[in-house]
C-alpha cells in the first residue's frame, strides 16, 4: 500500500500498515516516564536486525466533529515508534516507512496501555543465558554480534554468558529457588566448579552475595591492594599474571590471582628503588620491606640544621620576593588567572625545595647509616633514612667505669687510710697488706657505697620537683632518641605500643603524619652525643622542657582494647585521660568505607546515618547493596563529626558540629622548642 494513499481505517481489530510520520504519541499512554536512550537504542538495534516483531496498537485521531484526521495515536508500542524515528534520523529508513499496526477502539486506551506495562514478565536471566549460549555455541555469534542483534550492551551479553561458569549443581539449586540471582552471579566470579561448591557448603545463615565473593576471592589480591597498585596491572600481566574479573559488580580492577608472582614483582621494584636511592644519596646500605620494621633495634639519626649556600639563599630570597609581589598584585582578585595560579604553584614548590635544604644529614652519618625502602599503604614508596647498625657505631669511652676506672681512665681509689695507716676496704688478705696503695675498690664495696648514694639521690630528688622533671625528661628522651645508649639514671622504661600493627594505614593518616613530624622535629634538635643530653634538657626554657616531657610521655599512651586482654581499670583511666585533655576524635578521624563503614553491618551504617544526618537520609539508602550503601554513607557523613560510641568522650551524646580542618592537627605542639639563652 502506498504511503501517500493510506486508507483511513477506524474499525477495531483491523491490521494495517501506517506510515511512520502518521503515528503520534498518545496522551493515554500509562507510561509517563520517558524511555531511556539506552532502551530506544536497544529497540532500534533489534528492529534493524529482525524487524518489528510485535504490532503497535493504535487508535485513530478524531477532530472536533469526530471525523478521522488520518493520524493515529500509539497506545502500545511507543518505544518502537521512537526507535524507528531514531533510525530515520540515522537515515536508515524513510519517515514514511510503513509500520504494521492493529486498530483498537473497543478497549479503553489507558487501561490497555497499563495492562501492557504491568502484566508482562521479563525473561528470566537464566533463560537469557541459555538463549545467548545457544547463539554463541551453535551459530558462532560473539558478544558484540549478539548485543547488536538484541539491542543490549556487549557487557550484558558477557554477564549472561558468564553464568555458564556456574556449577550445574548450583544452577539447579537456583532453578529450585534456593538461590537468588545476586548469589548466583557472585558464584560466577570464578569458573572453578569445585571451589564454587566448596564455598556454597561453607555458607551459614549469611548468604549475602558479598560473603560469597569474599569466600571465592580469599586466596587472591584485590586490584585496590597496595601491592597491586604499586606494580600495576600491565606489568603484572606482561609476565604472565592473570586477573580475575567480576562482570556483575564494580570490581575496581578485579583480583590478582598469582599472589606469589605479585609479591616477587613488588620486592623487585622496591629493590630497584632502593638501589636508585643508595646511588643517588650515598647511604651505606638500604633494605626493602613491605611494612616498616618496627623491631629493627637500630639507633636513628636525623637531619640537622645547616646554612644554605649563597646560591641557594639568593634563589630563596628571589622566589619569596616574587611570591610576595604576586600576592600583593592579586590580593583583591577573587579568581586568579590561570597563568598567575600556575606561577604561584611553581614558586611554592621552589620555596619548599630550597627550605628543605636547611636540614641535611651529616655526610659522616650517611657514610655509616642506611635507609629502609617500604611499600606505603597507598601503594607508593616510603623511605625512612638514618638508621645505624651496631657495628657502625663509633666506640666511645665510658664516662665512668665502676670496675675501677673513673673519668679519663683514672683509677677509683679508696681516698684514705685508717688510723694505723692501713688501707680501708673490704677484708683484705694478709698478703695484700703490703699491696700497692693504688689497688681499686672491690665490687662489693662499690655496690655498697653507690647504694647509699642512690638513697641520698632519692631523698634529695623527692624534695626538688623541678629537678625531678628534668631527670624524668632526660631518662625518657635518652631511651626514645638514643636507642641502646643506656645513659639514663632513673629506672623508668618508656614502652610504646606499635599502633601500625593494630590499624593498617594509621601512619598515613593526617594524625599519624602530624605525630611523625612532631617526633622528627624533636629528634632533629637532640645533641649528637647523648652525654650532652642532660645539659640540653636543663637549658631548655620551661615551656619547651615541659613540651618535650609531654611528647615522651605521650609516646607511651596505650588505650588499645585487645580481645586477648581485659583491662577494665586501664580503659576507665583512658577515658579519664581523654576527658582531661579534651580529646575530640572528630578532629583526627572520620568514618569512611575503609576506616569503618565497609567493616560493619548494614544496620550499623544506617544507624550512623540516622544519628548524624536524618532518618530520611537513612531511609533513602536503606535498599542499597552493602558496598553502595557504605559509599553513599561516607558522602553523607562528611563534615558531620560523627563518631562510633567507642571513640566518643565518656557519657557524651553525639552532636554533629564543626570541627577543626585536618590541617589544624599539624599545628599541635608545632611551635619552635628553643634552647634558652645563657
Amino acid at each position: 500500500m502506498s504511503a501517500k494513499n493510506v486508507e483511513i481505517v477506524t474499525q477495531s481489530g483491523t491490521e494495517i500498515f501506517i506510515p511512520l510520520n502518521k503515528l503520534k504519541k498518545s496522551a493515554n499512554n500509562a507510561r509517563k516516564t520517558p524511555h531511556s536512550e539506552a532502551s530506544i537504542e536497544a529497540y532500534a538495534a533489534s528492529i534493524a536486525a529482525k524487524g518489528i516483531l510485535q504490532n503497535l496498537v493504535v487508535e485513530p485521531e478524531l477532530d472536533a466533529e469526530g471525523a478521522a484526521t488520518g493520524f493515529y495515536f500509539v497506545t502500545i508500542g511507543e518505544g518502537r515508534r521512537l526507535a524507528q524515528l531514531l533510525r530515520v534520523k540515522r537515515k536508515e529508513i524513510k519517515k514514511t516507512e510503513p509500520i504494521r499496526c492493529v486498530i483498537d477502539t473497543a478497549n479503553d486506551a489507558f487501561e490497555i496501555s497499563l495492562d501492557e506495562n504491568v502484566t508482562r514478565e521479563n525473561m528470566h536471566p537464566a533463560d537469557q543465558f541459555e538463549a545467548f549460549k545457544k547463539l554463541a555455541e551453535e551459530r558462532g555469534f560473539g558478544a558484540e554480534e549478539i548485543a547488536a542483534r538484541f539491542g543490549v550492551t556487549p557487557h550484558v551479553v558477557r554477564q549472561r554468558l558468564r553464568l555458564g561458569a556456574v556449577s550445574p549443581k548450583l544452577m539447579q539449586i537456583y532453578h529450585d529457588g534456593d538461590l537468588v540471582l545476586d548469589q548466583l552471579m557472585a558464584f560466577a566470579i570464578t569458573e572453578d566448579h569445585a571451589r564454587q561448591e566448596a564455598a556454597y557448603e561453607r555458607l551459614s545463615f549469611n548468604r549475602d552475595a558479598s560473603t560469597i565473593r569474599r569466600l571465592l576471592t580469599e586466596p587472591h589480591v584485590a586490584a585496590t591492594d597496595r601491592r597491586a597498585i604499586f606494580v600495576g596491572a600491565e606489568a603484572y600481566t606482561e609476565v604472565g599474571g592473570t586477573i580475575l574479573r567480576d562482570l556483575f559488580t564494580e570490581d575496581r580492577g578485579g583480583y590478582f590471582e598469582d599472589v606469589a608472582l605479585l609479591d616477587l614483582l613488588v620486592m623487585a621494584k622496591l629493590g630497584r628503588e632502593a638501589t636508585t636511592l643508595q646511588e643517588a644519596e650515598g647511604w651505606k646500605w638500604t633494605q626493602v620491606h613491605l611494612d616498616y620494621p618496627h623491631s629493627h633495634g637500630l639507633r636513628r639519626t636525623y637531619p640537622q640544621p645547616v646554612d644554605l649556600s649563597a646560591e641557594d639563599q639568593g634563589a630563596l630570597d628571589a622566589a619569596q620576593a616574587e611570591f610576595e609581589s604576586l600576592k600583593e598584585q592579586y590580593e583583591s582578585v577573587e579568581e586568579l588567572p590561570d597563568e598567575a595560579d600556575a606561577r604561584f604553584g611553581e614558586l611554592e614548590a621552589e620555596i619548599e625545595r630550597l627550605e628543605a635544604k636547611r636540614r641535611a644529614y651529616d655526610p659522616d652519618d650517611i657514610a655509616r647509616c642506611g635507609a629502609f625502602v617500604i611499600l606505603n599503604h597507598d601503594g607508593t614508596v616510603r623511605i625512612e633514612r638514618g638508621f645505624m647498625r651496631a657495628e657502625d657505631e663509633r666506640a666511645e669511652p665510658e664516662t665512668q667505669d665502676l670496675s675501677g676506672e673513673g673519668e679519663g681512665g683514672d683509677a677509683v681509689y679508696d681516698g684514705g687510710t685508717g688510723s694505723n695507716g692501713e688501707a680501708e676496704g673490704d677484708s683484705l688478705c694478709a698478703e695484700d697488706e703490703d699491696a700497692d696503695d693504688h689497688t681499686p675498690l672491690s665490687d662489693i664495696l662499690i655496690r655498697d657505697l653507690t647504694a647509699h648514694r642512690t638513697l641520698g639521690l632519692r631523698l634529695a630528688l623527692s624534695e626538688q620537683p623541678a629537678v625531678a622533671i628534668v631527670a624524668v625528661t632526660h631518662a625518657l628522651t635518652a631511651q626514645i632518641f638514643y636507642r641502646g645508649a643506656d645513659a639514663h639514671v632513673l629506672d623508668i622504661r618508656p614502652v610504646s605500643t606499635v599502633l601500625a600493627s593494630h590499624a593498617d594505614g594509621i601512619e598515613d593518616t593526617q594524625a599519624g603524619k602530624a605525630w611523625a613530624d612532631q617526633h622528627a622535629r624533636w629528634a632533629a634538635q637532640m645533641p649528637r652525643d647523648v652525654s650532652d643530653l642532660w645539659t640540653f634538657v636543663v637549658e631548655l626554657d620551661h615551656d619547651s622542657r615541659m613540651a618535650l616531657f609531654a611528647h615522651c610521655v605521650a609516646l607511651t599512651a596505650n588505650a588499645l582494647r585487645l580481645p586477648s586482654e581485659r583491662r577494665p581499670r586501664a580503659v576507665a583511666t583512658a577515658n579519664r585521660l581523654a576527658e582531661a585533655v579534651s580529646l575530640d576524635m572528630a578532629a583526627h578521624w572520620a568514618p569512611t568505607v575503609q576506616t569503618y563503614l565497609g567493616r560493619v553491618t548494614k544496620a550499623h551504617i544506617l544507624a550512623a546515618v540516622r544519628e548524624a544526618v536524618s532518618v530520611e537520609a537513612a531511609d533513602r539508602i536503606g535498599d542499597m547493596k552493602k558496598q553502595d550503601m557504605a559509599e553513599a554513607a561516607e558522602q553523607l557523613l562528611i563534615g558531620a563529626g560523627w563518631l562510633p560510641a567507642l571513640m566518643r568522650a565518656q557519657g557524651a551524646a553525639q552532636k554533629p558540629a564543626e570541627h577543626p580542618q585536618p590541617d589544624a592537627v599539624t599545628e599541635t605542639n608545632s611551635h619552635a622548642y628553643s634552647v634558652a639563652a645563657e
Side-chain angles (χ1 to χ4, degrees), residues 374-386:
I374 306 153
L375 183 59
N376 226 344
H377 290 86
D378 60 359
T380 58
V381 175
R382 170 184 169 192
I383 299 173
E384 297 290 342
R385 301 170 173 83

Side-chain angles (χ1 to χ4, degrees), residues 1 66 72 123 133 147 171-172 191 193 196 207 267 287 306 332 347 357 406 451 553 661 669:
M1 182 182 297
Y72 294 82
M123 189 177 185
K133 181 182 179 184
M171 185 65 79
Q172 185 58 50
E191 298 181 9
H193 290 180
Q196 290 174 357
R207 296 190 170 194
M267 297 308 290
Q287 284 184 4
V306 295
S332 59
L347 289 171
K357 289 188 173 185
V553 169
Q661 294 299 315
N669 290 335

Side-chain angles (χ1 to χ4, degrees), residues 34 83 85 92 176 316 320 324 345 361 407 426 474 484 487-488 504 532 590 595 611 644 652 659 673 678:
L85 290 176
E92 296 177 11
D176 292 342
L316 178 61
Q320 289 175 333
E324 291 301 323
Y361 285 93
E407 292 184 5
D426 280 5
H474 174 273
H488 53 286
D504 287 341
D532 297 326
T595 61
E611 182 181 22
H659 296 283
Y673 303 113
E678 286 291 310

Side-chain angles (χ1 to χ4, degrees), residues 261-504:
L261 173 62
L262 179 61
D263 286 341
L264 185 66
L265 294 173
V266 168
M267 297 308 290
K269 188 172 181 179
L270 285 176
R272 293 192 294 273
E273 295 282 351
T275 300
T276 301
L277 173 72
Q278 193 168 5
E279 292 174 351
E281 299 185 12
W283 296 100
K284 181 177 182 180
W285 54 266
T286 55
Q287 284 184 4
V288 298
H289 295 271
L290 277 179
D291 299 295
Y292 182 80
H294 290 281
S295 58
H296 55 73
L298 304 179
R299 181 173 72 83
R300 186 172 190 179
T301 62
Y302 289 87
Q304 300 295 316
V306 295
D307 293 330
L308 291 178
S309 66
E311 180 182 354
D312 286 337
Q313 185 63 56
L316 178 61
D317 292 342
Q320 289 175 333
E322 184 179 352
F323 185 90
E324 291 301 323
S325 175
L326 282 175
K327 189 175 177 182
E328 291 179 8
Q329 181 180 346
Y330 293 101
E331 188 173 8
S332 59
V333 177
E334 292 186 4
E335 186 173 350
L336 288 173
D338 290 343
E339 61 275 10
D341 190 40
R343 185 55 182 159
F344 269 116
E346 292 170 358
L347 289 171
E348 287 172 347
E350 178 67 3
I351 291 170
E352 184 177 352
R353 182 186 71 83
L354 293 169
E355 287 286 3
K357 289 188 173 185
R358 292 188 185 278
R359 308 192 79 80
Y361 285 93
D362 188 301
D364 182 59
D365 286 341
I366 293 176
R368 292 189 295 141
C369 295
F372 295 125
V373 179
I374 306 153
L375 183 59
N376 226 344
H377 290 86
D378 60 359
T380 58
V381 175
R382 170 184 169 192
I383 299 173
E384 297 290 342
R385 301 170 173 83
F387 296 92
M388 188 173 294
R389 292 169 173 162
E391 60 267 26
D392 295 321
E393 295 276 9
R394 281 207 181 92
E396 297 181 2
E398 297 281 353
T399 57
Q400 185 177 14
D401 188 342
L402 297 184
S403 62
E405 293 185 352
E407 292 184 5
D410 296 332
V412 177
Y413 305 116
D414 59 358
T417 58
S419 57
N420 59 359
E422 296 178 352
E424 292 182 345
D426 280 5
S427 55
L428 300 175
C429 298
E431 62 266 30
D432 292 335
E433 291 181 0
D434 297 327
D436 188 348
D437 288 340
H438 292 176
T439 302
L441 301 181
S442 68
D443 291 342
I444 295 175
L445 180 57
I446 290 172
R447 284 166 51 195
D448 184 290
L449 296 176
T450 54
H452 284 280
R453 186 168 186 252
T454 298
L455 179 58
L457 277 173
R458 290 179 178 178
L459 285 169
L461 194 58
S462 69
E463 297 170 354
Q464 301 182 56
V467 179
I469 287 293
V470 171
V472 172
T473 304
H474 174 273
L476 295 174
T477 306
Q479 295 172 84
I480 290 171
F481 293 97
Y482 300 87
R483 192 186 295 267
D486 198 21
H488 53 286
V489 68
L490 303 186
D491 273 338
I492 296 175
R493 302 283 187 258
V495 177
S496 180
T497 300
V498 178
L499 299 180
S501 60
H502 299 283
D504 287 341

